Amino acid sequence: MCGIFGYINYLVERDRQFIIDTLLNGLSRLEYRGYDSAGMAVDGDKKNEVQAFKEVGKVAKLRELIAESKPDMTKSFESHAGISHTRWATHGTPTRQNCHPHRSDATWEFAVVHNGIITNYKELKALLESKGFRFETETDTECIAKLAKYLYDQHPDIEFTVLAKAVIKELEGAFGLLLKLSLPARVPPLVIGVRTSKKMKVDFVDVEFSEEGALPAEQASQNAAIKKSSASLLAPPDKSLLHRSQSRAFLSDDGIPQPAEFFLSSDPSAIVEHTKKVLYLEDDDIAHIHEGQLNIHRLTKNDGTSNVRTIQTIELELQEIMKGKFDHFMQKEIFEQPESIVNTMRGRLDTVNKKVTLGGLRQYISTIRRCRRLIFIACGTSYHSCMAVRGVFEELTEIPIAVELASDFLDRQAPVFRDDTCVFVSQSGETADSLMALRYCLERGALTVGVVNVVGSSISLLTHCGVHINAGPEIGVASTKAYTSQFVAMVMFALSLSEDRASKHQRREEIMEGLGKISEQFREILKLNDSIKDMCAKFFKDQKSLLLLGRGAQFPTALEGALKIKEISYLHCEAVMSGELKHGVLALVDENLPIIMILTRDNLFTKSLNAYQQVIARGGRPIVICNPDDPEFSAAQTEKIAVPKTVDCLQGLLNVIPLQLVSYWLAVGEGLNVDFPRNLAKSVTVE
Ligand code: UD1
Ligand code: BG6
């Protein structure tokens, strides 16, 4: 998905080489989000001149293009603003032309990079074309730059922030963008990193709200002039002029701006190498950086929300997002799972006193207990983790449970009521479909709960309460450790909800005991790595298709395994509920079709064995995922992946790991780009 990175230096002299390298490195850190082209705009050699570089393909190709263009890398700038972007095509194919930044005109008076979608771009484009603008690209983004230019030409004395607000007011959709020296945000979020040589005076920035009737006289008259001269649809807002309060953080004792550098990105992982001091923008914030000053404005009057944005210290260490000894992020993340699930449970599960405490739900838990339905809403892997815990929620809470794909839920405009609790599960916290479903449920008055990995993400901020799964950054596009951590976080959620049920006491203790052992069992399973690698080469190489069979709680495991295999190895893989085999899919089975069957022991084991027998009877030779030394599969010729036994409702946590490894080794065997599969993005911020 698109990524944004901007770098601004003020009274800190930097040469063009440094500026371009900083932008390119920032883009490299965003590569994991998935993209198809990249570009940047920096200042040119002459005053008010802009140099733009755009290239289809990887950031490395953009670097080559810049080297070939031979700009004067020694030219130095005391103050400078550079913006850059990785694009994931939505409106228009991946071409140099469609690459960001986009411009207002041939002189690049306004340059813009943008993440998200402008839903009313066609209307804006038609209007601007009628005003004489010629569009150069197929993107929705271009209309932003042209709109800024149009409004600016009409009101050349307009304040930059007033202009930015006027532009944003006309845009519909979900977007974060950098417009020359300003960056407004309306999901996905933007993060601003700040580096100063001296300690900042305060660790927050004041928010300046628009205030009707309280405008300084000079601005009020300017405002009136704007209103008068622009009766068009695109009139700038009439009540959004800013107050000139200074952001105290960046001033010296005598009130003079200090040298400062600003790093602007859609993602903190592109910022941590420069500074740990960051500030997250909230929905509809507009940050304006000018002459070393960072000011935050809002389009609205003070609506009771916080009037400061805190400058936080992020703890995300760079090495945490590096691959370390592993070949791929996905491999690293698979092998991190013994630690990541411990992090999910840390401070929350007390295995000695058999108690679960989820701080983020504490105040809401009794309300949730009384709800009439629990609706889980998610996409992709996160949807599978919801499916995987449905049974344990039903069993422990006895509340009716629904599990929904966010897009389908919205397509149906499914009924939601005030006494429903809607749980949004998302690794990134930014998935557009899930976010839209969240807004839909909020509008209908339901209680909303987030189960999210990324702190500060939109879903985490917009839900009433929730649980951060604390799995650490996940970079591989194929989600692995987030799945197991979501699973564990949700089991703890079900345990919290059922705390007051005496009849569930023993079962709850059994599950908590099981959770306490999971990490060690993960380590056991990961020892199978080499044998799974060999198995992939022996049985699945050059196959066209693969079936994955599971039943009950293991059907979601099969779904998740099949998704992993499809997304990174491009091998068609279908998950089938074992009980449904005889109703159609059995026709596919013969001695050639590769099949993996999940046959760990639970209360459905006898039924699952039926499916196994049906496959064997058709000459099938399935590989079975089973518990160690299961006499049913003792025959020497049976191919087995033996996983330790745990409580039935946790068994899926263990069973999914061999399937993650199968998908990984299949993709590596094909020489594919494991971390960045074709056509897919880590964070899908469009519908
Ligand atoms: C919190 C702190 C953690 C600290 C612990 C000590 C954060 C992010 N977490 O963890 O660093 O060690 O207290 O007691 O500061 N929330 C949502 N929606 C979501 C996810 C979370 O609204 O999707 C809310 C929660 O309701 C809560 C807050 O965010 O108010 C933090 O949630 P979480 O990190 O899960 O809380 P703790 O585990 O208590
Ligand atoms: C994308 C990813 O499609 O979004 C998947 O490629 C992921 O891996 C899905 O499961 C949902 O993402 P999230 O962040 O909402 O869990």
Side-chain angles (χ1 to χ4, degrees), residues 315 346-348 357-364 424 448-457 459-470:
E315 273 141 30
R346 195 183 306 283
R348 294 165 165 176
T357 315
L358 293 173
L361 297 182
R362 200 180 295 131
Q363 290 175 329
Y364 290 85
F424 295 84
T448 61
V449 181
V451 177
V452 163
N453 195 25
V454 180
V455 177
S457 60
I459 292 180
S460 164
L461 293 176
L462 290 174
T463 39
H464 291 104
C465 60
V467 187
H468 290 118
I469 65 170
N470 300 341

Side-chain angles (χ1 to χ4, degrees), residues 379-382 425-429 431 434 477-479 486 567 681-682 684:
C379 306
T381 290
S382 300
V425 183
S426 171
Q427 187 284 129
S428 62
T431 302
S434 303
V477 167
S479 179
Q486 286 167 344
E567 66 185 336
K682 179 78 183 157
V684 181

Side-chain angles (χ1 to χ4, degrees), residues 106 226 279 287 301-302 352 396 414 546 664:
I226 291 168
L279 175 151
K301 287 203 292 181
N302 192 338
V352 178
L396 291 182
L546 171 65
Y664 176 76

Side-chain angles (χ1 to χ4, degrees), residues 65 121 131 200 259 350 433 435 469 477 480 531:
L65 175 94
Y121 85 100
K131 306 283 178 200
M200 277 178 265
D350 177 350
D433 290 326
L435 205 47
I469 65 170
V477 167
T480 51
S531 60

